[in-house]
Amino acid sequence: MKKKLILLALMAVTMLPLTIYGQSVHPKAYFLDAEGVMRDSVDIKDGKAPLQVTFKANPENMEGYSPSYEWHFRKQDYKKGTINLFVRYEEETEYTFERSGTYDIVLKTRLEQDGAELDSVTLTVTIPDSYLEFPNAFSPNGDGINDKYQAKEGYRSIVKFHAIIINRWGQKLYEWNDPASGWDGTYKGHDVKDGVYFVLVKAKGADGKEYNIRKDVNLLRNYTSGGTTSGN
């Protein structure tokens, strides 16, 4: 009886689909981080929109097989639950995330020769809600501290952005379209005087939030990091 059971077990093993013994996929998401360095992950936890991501299946041991791929893009909604967005059918696909939220990207792989399907794999991309604030002063004196007027550190998920600097007479001195950039306190290559200027910002976050910022900008060229003014 024991020999018969062993024989049946061996027969069962030999009849298992070959996919269990070698065919596999190792999907990853490839993206540029905040410093411009290419990263890969299966769980992007704090992506800053707009975030361009390339998804690769990374198949292994597929010699002699013709795998087909399905990338199912889904979004998690705390009210509606899982929302199916769309499906892609390439081994490698690219998508730009422009809305905040948590996304599940499920890869399903099928071997067309025998119809076997590998275990599905889920990647996760999280785009946080937007944040954007501006300071009310800066000191472009070349000391390497607060030399440029720009968005406060920690801004995130801003998909549209435009800002201008004007003086008290409404003259435009500078404009920029990237929150990472900013004003160096010059106009046409020359330093402007210390004083009060104004910034006007129109922006939109990945969560749909609209930003309309207007505030004073105090240019204090002689201000030092120690809180004192330097003489000329």
Side-chain angles (χ1 to χ4, degrees), residues 28-32 38-40 52-56 58:
K28 284 188 177 182
Y30 298 81
F31 64 102
L32 293 176
M38 179 60 70
R39 303 288 186 185
D40 63 82
Q52 181 175 300
V53 182
T54 299
F55 297 94
K56 298 182 180 181
N58 296 322

Side-chain angles (χ1 to χ4, degrees), residues 35 89 96:
E35 285 71 43
Y89 297 94
T96 300

Side-chain angles (χ1 to χ4, degrees), residues 67 76 83 102 183 187 200 210 227:
Q76 299 299 326
I83 301 174
T102 298
W183 182 42
Y187 176 62
L200 308 177
E210 300 278 353

Side-chain angles (χ1 to χ4, degrees), residues 57-186:
N58 296 322
E60 290 186 0
N61 302 315
M62 293 293 183
E63 293 80 6
Y65 283 83
S66 300
S68 61
Y69 305 96
E70 294 182 5
W71 297 93
H72 293 255
F73 285 73
R74 301 166 178 169
K75 185 176 183 181
Q76 299 299 326
D77 187 279
Y78 74 96
K79 291 182 178 179
K80 300 178 181 179
T82 301
I83 301 174
N84 293 312
L85 300 177
F86 54 86
V87 182
R88 297 275 181 84
Y89 297 94
E90 306 89 1
E91 179 181 328
E92 176 181 324
T93 191
E94 184 179 284
Y95 183 69
T96 300
F97 295 86
E98 296 184 341
R99 301 287 293 181
S100 62
T102 298
Y103 298 82
D104 292 331
I105 298 87
V106 182
L107 174 62
K108 297 182 179 182
T109 307
R110 180 176 289 103
L111 303 181
E112 296 182 356
Q113 281 81 352
D114 55 15
E117 185 172 317
L118 304 185
D119 291 339
S120 62
V121 184
T122 300
L123 308 181
T124 303
V125 176
T126 301
I127 306 295
D129 289 342
S130 64
Y131 168 79
L132 181 67
E133 286 190 357
F134 277 79
N136 58 11
F138 76 123
S139 55
N141 52 24
D143 65 355
I145 301 174
N146 206 24
D147 282 331
K148 183 183 291 186
Y149 185 78
Q150 58 191 149
K152 288 185 178 181
E153 186 176 349
Y155 70 87
R156 60 178 181 265
S157 297
I158 301 300
V159 296
K160 292 183 179 180
F161 178 89
H162 182 255
I164 64 173
I165 297 291
I166 61 174
N167 61 21
R168 66 181 63 189
W169 297 282
Q171 180 186 16
K172 181 172 69 176
L173 305 180
Y174 188 75
E175 66 180 324
W176 66 106
N177 295 305
D178 184 348
S181 186
W183 182 42
D184 64 359
T186 65

